[in-house]
Amino acid sequence: KIVVESRRIDLTEGVRWEAGPTTEIEMSSLERSEPGSTITLHLKPEHSAFSQKPEIVEQALKQYADFLGAPIFLNDSPVRVNVI
């Protein structure tokens, strides 16, 4: 399951959307004090190794998202993962 919570800088209300294993997506409004986005992945038990070894996720982010202009932070770390 993936949960995205986001707010534009020029709005006071954010949006939350949630998607699971089906094609259905739930959307709702959200109170969010800061602009930006937070993405939370909920892993299946058989994929729990990804949560135990964040360097695996960090490596994938560097490989596939290093070119993105938006900063990516992993697990609330103050250090940006994508640096190009």
Side-chain angles (χ1 to χ4, degrees):
K1 174 170 83 169
I2 184 170
V3 177
V4 178
E5 297 179 343
S6 189
R7 193 194 103 194
R8 287 177 21 174
I9 197 164
D10 59 336
L11 296 178
T12 56
E13 188 175 84
V15 65
R16 179 181 198 270
W17 66 267
E18 185 176 323
T22 67
T23 57
E24 293 183 27
I25 297 174
E26 292 182 33
M27 294 186 76
S28 59
S29 60
L30 166 74
E31 289 293 324
R32 185 177 169 97
S33 60
E34 295 292 321
S37 298
T38 301
I39 301 167
T40 305
L41 299 173
H42 299 268
L43 302 174
K44 293 180 179 180
E46 61 266 26
H47 300 297
S48 65
F50 289 113
S51 66
Q52 297 165 1
K53 296 182 180 178
E55 59 272 3
I56 295 172
V57 177
E58 184 175 343
Q59 182 181 5
L61 287 170
K62 285 182 179 182
Q63 182 175 355
Y64 297 106
D66 216 21
F67 62 91
L68 294 175
I72 298 174
F73 301 93
L74 183 59
N75 295 333
D76 295 323
S77 170
V79 178
R80 183 177 172 169
V81 174
N82 60 331
V83 293
I84 292 180

